[in-house]
Amino acid sequence: MTISYNWLCEYLTVNITPQRLSAILTSLGLEVEGFEKKEQVKGGLKGLITGEVLECIKHPNADKLSLTRVNIGAEEPLSIVCGAPNVASGQKVIVAPVGTTIYPVKGEPVTMKIAKIRGQESHGMICAEDEIGLGESHAGIIVLPAGTPVGLPASAYFQLQEDWIYEIGLTPNRMDAMSHLGVAKDVSAYLAIHDNILNAVQYPYSDNFTHNKQGTPVEVTIENTDACQRYSGVLINNITVQESPAWLKNRLQSIGLRSINNIVDITNFILHETGQPLHAFDADKIKGNTVIVKNLPAGTPFITLDEKERKLNTDDIMICDGTGAPMCFGGVFGGMNSGVTANTKRIFLESAWFNPVTIRKTSFRHNLRTDAATRFEKGVDIGNTVTVLKRAALLIRDITGGEIASDITDIYPHPKQKQQVTLTYAYLQKLSGKNYPPGVVKKVLTSSGFEIVAENAAGVTVAAPFSKPDITLPADVVEEIMRIDGYDNVAIPQHISISPSIEALGFETALKEKTGNYLAGNGFNEIFTNSITNSAYFSDEVLKTSVKMLNSLSAELNMMRPSMLETGLECIVHNLNRKNNNLRLFEFGKTYTGNGVGKYEEKEKLCLYITGLTREGSWKSGEDKSDFYYLKGITESILQTAGLNTWKFETTGSTDLQYGLNVAVGKTVLATLGLVKNSIIKRFDIKQPVWYLIFDWEKLCALAAVQKQGYTEISKFPAVQRDLSIVLDKQVTFERVEQVVKKAGIQRLESLKLFDVFESDKLGANKKSLAVSFTFLDREKTLTDTEIDSMMQEIMSGFEKELAAEIRK
């Protein structure tokens, strides 16, 4: 939220420097995300000066140019060539002499130089408002009142002010600080406690609200009293819709708002002053002179101010006229056919309270994220609608020349009671860690707008102001006291008491850390990607079981991810576009699916993404490219890290992979790995192969949890290694070789490892040679050659019988 220092100070009775205000806001928990000095006009109009056009004649060489002589208070008048259609003798104007730098609304700054224009020298420029940053108009030069002194600096004439602008970050519960007056009340509470300055806030409300009762009041009916619990309004006649006065435009421009007209500007000003949204209707367009607040049938067409037709939902709360025709989305956005125009003479001004849930749903449903909706959905002060309405009506009367033609209409069917909360001093000390004296507690609370309902030695009962709808529990009151007092003022205790707890997911967390450490130690980087993704990535079949976002922030982030592949590829392409071509990434995350009838399922996954080189080349060794075997080795290492000893690889039917395998233990599929399809990586504009592994983390943890974890003593006796080369058919996989060896059941065989594959026509048609290393170990004694030969013979016999292999000798 944007706050203007000058604007805020209007509501304070004490002077505070911009720097101290920044420190106070930070102490109050209003995080200052930006803080900068801002000129009302860029460049501050330095060097610009008022002048008088002494002579104005037609340029001899150009019909649309004029030759002028302008007095700026110097010894000699300036000769200036001017192209403005409205320039004339006797005018008082703004002049940019030679050497002055001007800052146009659009474009780069320009420094004035002596220039020849169609053969005539020009010593400066007579300025239009857009040329010096004062406005948008380029219809002609600025013409000042006839009595304007000559030679006066433009900055002095326009009385420019410097301002300080704060960008503050608000937590969702701080709707009370979503206005300048709300922040001023917070600052006032701070000053009461820390500087002993009471009642430092001054309110802009007036008691001189009067009306002439010349108009017939607009009748108001609320049919849905849950969605609209209070509706106030007033009729104002004989207004003139025109440009706003300079002070009002400056206030809005200071926080980045564009001036539109005096009526719209006043409603925007009140919104940012008090936090209460208002809406102005053209009273002559309210049929039946009646406003009805109600819901309309689903599908009812309604044209909004942006000239778009929208179909209503039955839950949308609508402001309708006497015929039941919609005029406005209540609390969200106005209608095309009831808004204020340049020809409007009578307005009905609305100040209401709408249900936050209703407003938020309507706002997101129709993609109308307005300032009014943002405030209503957080909850505005229901007790302030009439007070703010009177403030706005008086401003409109004074600025537009209108007349307040009716008394205030205030429909409040079920007046709300303030939330009462009882706080004990013992609970305050327990939660805050600080012993607050009762007097300080009451001072903090009353300065923050709380009413003391009852008090005793044990504690105090307070009524929370309507502007703080989040105050419902004693803990909320403790937070208010600590926030105003300052969290830094809570001393660090010398002794801390804690209650140890056992983590419910301790094993899963430990395994995740162990696996993550293994991957990081092998050159992988952990990533965290968004669980919300783009539905355009997925097929219609996948979308049938997807979890769609009801209130999506954008068209590109509109569903929960059913797969982690796509978000990982987004990360890869982000790195590839920055010349980071060799990537090994892993992520623990969740996928989401639904059954289409409101039931959803989320699953924990571990994903690996590999592309480019796994090792860059050097003078000593060559480079290693990522491939399927590297990915398969990492997969097996993760399984071993989890304590698993047996698994098998099976063909996969994954539609995301060009080829790959499933990893299964028994009938449980734990993982899928392989090469991502070219058609998928092309959609992300990735031009190099990407290898992908996805573990079902929950299943892996479940299997790992039942594995017996133990320690095996290192053998005192040496292991013996034997190598064997076999020739077999090309279609026989090494997995089949392993199965034959395991079938032999040789207890003293520790491991086997494939260390060479050789293919040649010399071996025979469709043949290949595998070189396998076997490691034998007996933990009770040293193996003899006879025992080793016997075991090797058993293995070779199995190969010859089961695989029709030829033993190479």
PDB file of all heavy atoms in Angstrom, residues 135-151:
ATOM      1  N   GLY A 135       0.819  17.979 -16.499  1.00  0.00           N
ATOM      2  CA  GLY A 135      -0.437  17.343 -16.890  1.00  0.00           C
ATOM      3  C   GLY A 135      -0.286  16.621 -18.206  1.00  0.00           C
ATOM      4  O   GLY A 135       0.818  16.466 -18.736  1.00  0.00           O
ATOM      5  N   GLU A 136      -1.409  16.195 -18.763  1.00  0.00           N
ATOM      6  CA  GLU A 136      -1.402  15.408 -19.992  1.00  0.00           C
ATOM      7  C   GLU A 136      -1.703  16.234 -21.234  1.00  0.00           C
ATOM      8  O   GLU A 136      -1.481  15.795 -22.347  1.00  0.00           O
ATOM      9  CB  GLU A 136      -2.442  14.270 -19.889  1.00  0.00           C
ATOM     10  CG  GLU A 136      -2.228  13.318 -18.728  1.00  0.00           C
ATOM     11  CD  GLU A 136      -1.092  12.358 -18.972  1.00  0.00           C
ATOM     12  OE1 GLU A 136      -0.724  12.166 -20.154  1.00  0.00           O
ATOM     13  OE2 GLU A 136      -0.563  11.796 -17.993  1.00  0.00           O
ATOM     14  N   SER A 137      -2.237  17.456 -21.074  1.00  0.00           N
ATOM     15  CA  SER A 137      -2.747  18.217 -22.205  1.00  0.00           C
ATOM     16  C   SER A 137      -1.622  18.791 -23.063  1.00  0.00           C
ATOM     17  O   SER A 137      -0.630  19.324 -22.553  1.00  0.00           O
ATOM     18  CB  SER A 137      -3.638  19.361 -21.708  1.00  0.00           C
ATOM     19  OG  SER A 137      -4.036  20.173 -22.791  1.00  0.00           O
ATOM     20  N   HIS A 138      -1.824  18.690 -24.392  1.00  0.00           N
ATOM     21  CA  HIS A 138      -0.927  19.335 -25.344  1.00  0.00           C
ATOM     22  C   HIS A 138      -1.737  20.189 -26.330  1.00  0.00           C
ATOM     23  O   HIS A 138      -1.323  20.460 -27.453  1.00  0.00           O
ATOM     24  CB  HIS A 138      -0.115  18.288 -26.095  1.00  0.00           C
ATOM     25  CG  HIS A 138       1.050  18.849 -26.852  1.00  0.00           C
ATOM     26  ND1 HIS A 138       2.168  19.375 -26.229  1.00  0.00           N
ATOM     27  CD2 HIS A 138       1.267  18.998 -28.190  1.00  0.00           C
ATOM     28  CE1 HIS A 138       3.016  19.812 -27.149  1.00  0.00           C
ATOM     29  NE2 HIS A 138       2.491  19.600 -28.346  1.00  0.00           N
ATOM     30  N   ALA A 139      -2.952  20.593 -25.882  1.00  0.00           N
ATOM     31  CA  ALA A 139      -3.825  21.356 -26.772  1.00  0.00           C
ATOM     32  C   ALA A 139      -3.302  22.763 -27.016  1.00  0.00           C
ATOM     33  O   ALA A 139      -3.632  23.390 -28.026  1.00  0.00           O
ATOM     34  CB  ALA A 139      -5.233  21.426 -26.181  1.00  0.00           C
ATOM     35  N   GLY A 140      -2.481  23.265 -26.109  1.00  0.00           N
ATOM     36  CA  GLY A 140      -1.942  24.609 -26.261  1.00  0.00           C
ATOM     37  C   GLY A 140      -1.056  24.952 -25.092  1.00  0.00           C
ATOM     38  O   GLY A 140      -0.877  24.154 -24.165  1.00  0.00           O
ATOM     39  N   ILE A 141      -0.477  26.170 -25.123  1.00  0.00           N
ATOM     40  CA  ILE A 141       0.397  26.593 -24.033  1.00  0.00           C
ATOM     41  C   ILE A 141      -0.430  26.886 -22.784  1.00  0.00           C
ATOM     42  O   ILE A 141      -1.649  27.080 -22.849  1.00  0.00           O
ATOM     43  CB  ILE A 141       1.214  27.839 -24.422  1.00  0.00           C
ATOM     44  CG1 ILE A 141       0.269  28.994 -24.786  1.00  0.00           C
ATOM     45  CG2 ILE A 141       2.178  27.517 -25.548  1.00  0.00           C
ATOM     46  CD1 ILE A 141       0.968  30.307 -25.001  1.00  0.00           C
ATOM     47  N   ILE A 142       0.248  26.871 -21.627  1.00  0.00           N
ATOM     48  CA  ILE A 142      -0.403  27.232 -20.370  1.00  0.00           C
ATOM     49  C   ILE A 142      -0.587  28.749 -20.335  1.00  0.00           C
ATOM     50  O   ILE A 142       0.380  29.507 -20.501  1.00  0.00           O
ATOM     51  CB  ILE A 142       0.443  26.788 -19.169  1.00  0.00           C
ATOM     52  CG1 ILE A 142       0.656  25.276 -19.183  1.00  0.00           C
ATOM     53  CG2 ILE A 142      -0.203  27.227 -17.856  1.00  0.00           C
ATOM     54  CD1 ILE A 142       1.665  24.797 -18.160  1.00  0.00           C
ATOM     55  N   VAL A 143      -1.812  29.203 -20.143  1.00  0.00           N
ATOM     56  CA  VAL A 143      -2.094  30.642 -20.036  1.00  0.00           C
ATOM     57  C   VAL A 143      -2.446  30.935 -18.589  1.00  0.00           C
ATOM     58  O   VAL A 143      -3.430  30.410 -18.048  1.00  0.00           O
ATOM     59  CB  VAL A 143      -3.240  31.064 -20.978  1.00  0.00           C
ATOM     60  CG1 VAL A 143      -3.516  32.553 -20.821  1.00  0.00           C
ATOM     61  CG2 VAL A 143      -2.884  30.725 -22.422  1.00  0.00           C
ATOM     62  N   LEU A 144      -1.635  31.784 -17.947  1.00  0.00           N
ATOM     63  CA  LEU A 144      -1.815  32.110 -16.537  1.00  0.00           C
ATOM     64  C   LEU A 144      -2.750  33.308 -16.382  1.00  0.00           C
ATOM     65  O   LEU A 144      -2.993  34.057 -17.340  1.00  0.00           O
ATOM     66  CB  LEU A 144      -0.446  32.426 -15.906  1.00  0.00           C
ATOM     67  CG  LEU A 144       0.631  31.345 -16.072  1.00  0.00           C
ATOM     68  CD1 LEU A 144       1.940  31.837 -15.468  1.00  0.00           C
ATOM     69  CD2 LEU A 144       0.197  30.046 -15.415  1.00  0.00           C
ATOM     70  N   PRO A 145      -3.290  33.517 -15.174  1.00  0.00           N
ATOM     71  CA  PRO A 145      -4.150  34.686 -14.942  1.00  0.00           C
ATOM     72  C   PRO A 145      -3.426  35.993 -15.276  1.00  0.00           C
ATOM     73  O   PRO A 145      -2.198  36.096 -15.151  1.00  0.00           O
ATOM     74  CB  PRO A 145      -4.467  34.596 -13.445  1.00  0.00           C
ATOM     75  CG  PRO A 145      -4.341  33.140 -13.134  1.00  0.00           C
ATOM     76  CD  PRO A 145      -3.227  32.640 -13.999  1.00  0.00           C
ATOM     77  N   ALA A 146      -4.200  36.987 -15.677  1.00  0.00           N
ATOM     78  CA  ALA A 146      -3.627  38.263 -16.150  1.00  0.00           C
ATOM     79  C   ALA A 146      -2.796  38.957 -15.080  1.00  0.00           C
ATOM     80  O   ALA A 146      -1.853  39.690 -15.394  1.00  0.00           O
ATOM     81  CB  ALA A 146      -4.749  39.186 -16.630  1.00  0.00           C
ATOM     82  N   GLY A 147      -3.129  38.747 -13.818  1.00  0.00           N
ATOM     83  CA  GLY A 147      -2.404  39.432 -12.746  1.00  0.00           C
ATOM     84  C   GLY A 147      -1.140  38.737 -12.303  1.00  0.00           C
ATOM     85  O   GLY A 147      -0.497  39.164 -11.325  1.00  0.00           O
ATOM     86  N   THR A 148      -0.716  37.685 -12.987  1.00  0.00           N
ATOM     87  CA  THR A 148       0.483  36.941 -12.585  1.00  0.00           C
ATOM     88  C   THR A 148       1.734  37.800 -12.768  1.00  0.00           C
ATOM     89  O   THR A 148       1.946  38.371 -13.846  1.00  0.00           O
ATOM     90  CB  THR A 148       0.628  35.664 -13.423  1.00  0.00           C
ATOM     91  OG1 THR A 148      -0.553  34.869 -13.283  1.00  0.00           O
ATOM     92  CG2 THR A 148       1.839  34.861 -12.980  1.00  0.00           C
ATOM     93  N   PRO A 149       2.584  37.917 -11.749  1.00  0.00           N
ATOM     94  CA  PRO A 149       3.812  38.710 -11.895  1.00  0.00           C
ATOM     95  C   PRO A 149       4.743  38.105 -12.950  1.00  0.00           C
ATOM     96  O   PRO A 149       4.780  36.886 -13.131  1.00  0.00           O
ATOM     97  CB  PRO A 149       4.450  38.648 -10.509  1.00  0.00           C
ATOM     98  CG  PRO A 149       3.370  38.182  -9.594  1.00  0.00           C
ATOM     99  CD  PRO A 149       2.442  37.354 -10.412  1.00  0.00           C
ATOM    100  N   VAL A 150       5.524  38.957 -13.597  1.00  0.00           N
ATOM    101  CA  VAL A 150       6.520  38.508 -14.565  1.00  0.00           C
ATOM    102  C   VAL A 150       7.831  38.213 -13.836  1.00  0.00           C
ATOM    103  O   VAL A 150       8.206  38.919 -12.898  1.00  0.00           O
ATOM    104  CB  VAL A 150       6.744  39.590 -15.645  1.00  0.00           C
ATOM    105  CG1 VAL A 150       7.937  39.241 -16.539  1.00  0.00           C
ATOM    106  CG2 VAL A 150       5.500  39.757 -16.495  1.00  0.00           C
ATOM    107  N   GLY A 151       8.541  37.164 -14.284  1.00  0.00           N
ATOM    108  CA  GLY A 151       9.833  36.822 -13.703  1.00  0.00           C
ATOM    109  C   GLY A 151       9.737  35.970 -12.453  1.00  0.00           C
ATOM    110  O   GLY A 151      10.746  35.770 -11.759  1.00  0.00           O
TER     111      GLY A 151
END
